[in-house]
Amino acid sequence: MKDKCSKYESLFVFSDKNTLEKHIAECEDCRNENEKMQKVSELISEVKFYYKKKQKKFAYFRVACAMSLLLFSTLSLGIMTTNDELLDTLMYGETLTAEELGFPVDSYGLIMVDE
C-alpha cells in the first residue's frame, strides 16, 4: 500500500512557485490536491463580488450613523451655547428646598425634628 504524499501544504506555503509546479507534475496526490484548491479558489472569486457589495452597504451605514451623530451634537451644542438659562439648568439642575419638598422647617430653613 502506497502512503499518501503530504508535501503539498508545506510546498505551497514555504517554497517558490517553480518548486511547487515541479512537484505537482511528478506527484498525483499533490496534483489532485491542487485541483481541489483551484476549484475552491474559483468559488471564492465568484462570491467575492457579493461579499464586497455587502461590506460596502455596511460602510455606508457607518458613515450615515457618524454623520447623524455629528449633526445631533452640533445642533445640541449650538442650542446650549445660545440659551444660557437652559445651560444652567442642565449643568446645575434645579434644587428643591426642604420646605418645597413638604418637610416641616424652622425659621432657618432646617428640618424640624420632634424630641
Side-chain angles (χ1 to χ4, degrees):
M1 185 167 138
K2 180 183 168 190
D3 290 334
K4 186 174 180 182
C5 181
S6 60
K7 293 181 182 179
Y8 180 78
E9 184 177 349
S10 62
L11 288 172
F12 184 79
V13 174
F14 297 113
S15 69
D16 59 347
K17 188 174 181 180
N18 293 333
T19 308
L20 178 64
E21 288 177 356
K22 188 176 181 182
H23 181 73
I24 289 173
E26 296 172 359
C27 179
E28 188 172 335
D29 292 335
C30 292
R31 191 175 317 121
N32 292 336
E33 188 71 24
N34 189 39
E35 288 174 7
K36 288 179 190 176
M37 289 297 164
Q38 292 300 322
K39 288 178 184 176
V40 169
S41 178
E42 289 171 8
L43 287 173
I44 290 173
S45 64
E46 282 182 32
V47 177
K48 182 170 53 173
F49 171 73
Y50 299 108
Y51 180 73
K52 295 269 186 186
K53 188 176 179 182
K54 188 175 183 180
Q55 280 196 337
K56 216 179 233 187
K57 285 182 183 179
F58 187 68
Y60 290 143
F61 177 71
R62 286 190 296 184
V63 168
C65 287
M67 293 298 288
S68 62
L69 179 66
L70 181 67
L71 179 69
F72 176 74
S73 62
T74 303
L75 291 175
S76 299
L77 288 175
I79 290 170
M80 285 194 303
T81 55
T82 57
N83 192 350
D84 292 332
E85 210 173 285
L86 176 65
L87 185 61
D88 288 340
T89 303
L90 288 175
M91 285 178 61
Y92 303 114
E94 300 217 7
T95 56
L96 299 174
T97 62
E99 188 175 10
E100 290 171 343
L101 291 172
F103 293 111
V105 293
D106 59 5
S107 60
Y108 296 109
L110 301 172
I111 299 174
M112 289 180 24
V113 180
D114 291 332
E115 292 182 40

